[in-house]
């Protein structure tokens, strides 16, 4: 059987539909998380404590907010593309493009999350802890998102 859980050789149209549905499910999860983070980040400058934030943290805050907003927009893009191209015979292009845009959105979301953790840890514990733990998160992300899938693909190709 194929990875889609259906017949061993599903039709190309069915495979595209399944891929699209899986992508939408993944986007629902990612969109919720990044929208909550973005909303939180948008409120920070309006708190009294923001006045005491050092300049270097404000720069990081701006980058984190930028990543969160970009992630939000990228993760919403597949839905907008679908609305614009609905029933126009563009499903193959749509699935491929939406996959690429979603991947970019996930990277922006990861950067926003790691940056937000850096901001909090820098405020609470200082720069050394913030940089150390953020580096740990980046290494974990690279292991989980790049190394493990690469090794799995290699094992599958060899098997």
């Amino acid at each position: 059987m194929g990875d889609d859980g259906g017949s061993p050789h599903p039709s190309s149209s069915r495979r595209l539909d399944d891929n699209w549905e899986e992508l939408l499910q993944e986007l629902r999860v990612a969109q919720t998380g990044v929208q909550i983070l973005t909303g939180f980040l948008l409120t920070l400058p309006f708190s009294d404590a923001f006045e005491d934030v050092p300049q270097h943290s404000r720069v990081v805050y701006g980058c984190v907010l930028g990543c969160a907003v970009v992630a939000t927009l990228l993760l919403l893009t597949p839905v907008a593309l679908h609305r614009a191209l609905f029933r126009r015979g563009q499903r193959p292009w749509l699935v491929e493009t939406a996959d690429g845009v979603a991947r970019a959105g996930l990277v922006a979301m990861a950067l926003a999350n790691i940056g937000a953790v850096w901001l909090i840890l820098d405020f609470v514990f200082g720069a050394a802890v913030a940089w150390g733990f953020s580096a740990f998160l980046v290494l974990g992300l690279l292991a989980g998102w790049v190394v493990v899938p690469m090794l799995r693909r290699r094992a599958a190709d060899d098997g």
Side-chain angles (χ1 to χ4, degrees):
M1 287 212 170
D3 285 341
D4 63 348
S7 66
H9 304 288
S11 71
S12 178
S13 176
R14 180 74 205 146
R15 192 173 324 125
L16 283 171
D17 289 344
D18 289 347
N19 288 343
W20 180 251
E21 290 301 319
E22 286 180 26
L23 180 62
L24 286 180
Q25 284 299 102
E26 294 164 0
L27 287 173
R28 284 182 187 105
V29 173
Q31 286 171 344
T32 301
V34 77
Q35 288 171 344
I36 290 169
L37 177 62
T38 303
F40 170 72
L41 290 168
L42 288 171
T43 65
L44 282 180
F46 300 104
S47 71
D48 293 334
F50 197 78
E51 294 176 16
D52 299 330
V53 172
Q55 185 60 33
H56 75 279
S57 292
R58 288 174 184 249
V59 170
V60 173
Y61 166 79
C63 294
V64 170
L65 177 62
C67 285
V69 170
V70 166
T72 300
L73 296 176
L74 287 171
L75 293 172
L76 290 173
T77 296
V79 177
L81 289 174
H82 183 262
R83 287 291 93 208
L85 299 172
F86 185 65
R87 293 189 180 155
R88 296 194 180 242
Q90 298 293 311
R91 182 62 58 102
W93 179 87
L94 181 62
V95 169
E96 184 177 332
T97 302
D99 175 65
V101 171
R103 287 174 189 264
L106 291 173
V107 169
M109 181 178 165
L111 291 172
N113 277 279
I114 292 169
V117 168
W118 185 94
L119 282 169
I120 293 165
L121 293 178
D122 182 49
F123 180 77
V124 174
F125 298 110
V129 172
W131 284 114
F133 193 71
S134 295
F136 173 76
L137 291 175
V138 169
L139 291 174
L141 182 94
L142 290 173
W145 288 17
V146 178
V147 176
V148 170
M150 182 180 67
L151 293 173
R152 181 67 189 128
R153 277 190 224 109
R154 189 174 294 157
D157 290 345
D158 292 343

